[in-house]
Amino acid sequence: MAGIGPIRQDWEPVVVRKKAPTAAAKKDEKAVNAARRSGAEIDTTKKYNAGTNKAASSGTSLNTKRLDEDTENLAHERVSSDLKKNLMQARLDKKLTQAQLAQMINEKPQVIQEYESGKAIPNNQIIGKLERALGAKLRNKK
């Protein structure tokens, strides 16, 4: 221990501080009342349309008149009756159930049901899969 001077104690005070309050804690009613009592400056602002749904509905009034005047009947294109009949006939010729055909083309059985009932919106990719799996032309067969 030669060369090390005498051991000294450090007597300076150490200050440990708490974390500053979060934004939510500052808005707490207790914190606001305590700040009022201590005379601290408090800033209160009312937000425009706070707690209401007025802002979301205000933009719709511009299009309401245009929507009311619109008389065009909009509907999705459906599978043609020729495609329905051709699909059913080709499936029955191969002696497949709807579920088996759906499994062959990696689709849900509901998709085949929709195509055969005419409720499906035509998708050329699915129709192509059906044609390859059944080995028959389903579109424009005349």
Side-chain angles (χ1 to χ4, degrees):
M1 289 208 134
I4 301 177
I7 299 174
R8 295 195 175 136
Q9 185 85 24
D10 187 10
W11 290 102
E12 289 185 27
V14 176
V15 179
V16 179
R17 295 186 182 163
K18 289 184 176 181
K19 265 192 327 186
T22 62
K26 289 179 185 176
K27 295 176 187 174
D28 186 24
E29 194 173 341
K30 283 183 180 179
V32 172
N33 288 337
R36 283 186 182 138
R37 282 192 294 273
S38 68
E41 186 177 321
I42 300 171
D43 183 32
T44 58
T45 56
K46 174 107 171 96
K47 292 185 178 180
Y48 180 72
N49 283 341
T52 65
N53 203 12
K54 290 179 184 174
S57 63
S58 64
T60 59
S61 63
L62 302 173
N63 293 328
T64 306
K65 184 177 180 184
R66 193 177 328 150
L67 288 171
D68 287 340
E69 291 173 354
D70 190 15
T71 58
E72 188 177 343
N73 188 9
L74 302 174
H76 289 290
E77 181 185 348
R78 300 287 179 206
V79 175
S80 68
S81 60
D82 290 338
L83 183 77
K84 292 189 319 188
K85 291 175 188 173
N86 294 340
L87 175 58
M88 275 190 262
Q89 191 60 48
R91 181 177 60 82
L92 293 173
D93 288 345
K94 287 255 184 173
K95 296 182 179 149
L96 295 171
T97 63
Q98 289 179 343
Q100 290 170 334
L101 178 58
Q103 188 175 11
M104 287 174 66
I105 65 166
N106 293 326
E107 294 289 342
K108 293 182 181 177
Q110 183 181 358
V111 173
I112 305 300
Q113 290 172 0
E114 288 175 352
Y115 271 85
E116 288 189 358
S117 66
K119 294 179 182 175
I121 298 170
N123 181 341
N124 286 330
Q125 188 175 12
I126 293 175
I127 295 171
K129 286 183 189 179
L130 289 167
E131 287 177 343
R132 282 192 302 278
L134 296 171
K137 184 88 170 139
L138 301 176
R139 298 175 267 204
N140 301 330
K141 189 174 180 183
K142 293 182 182 175

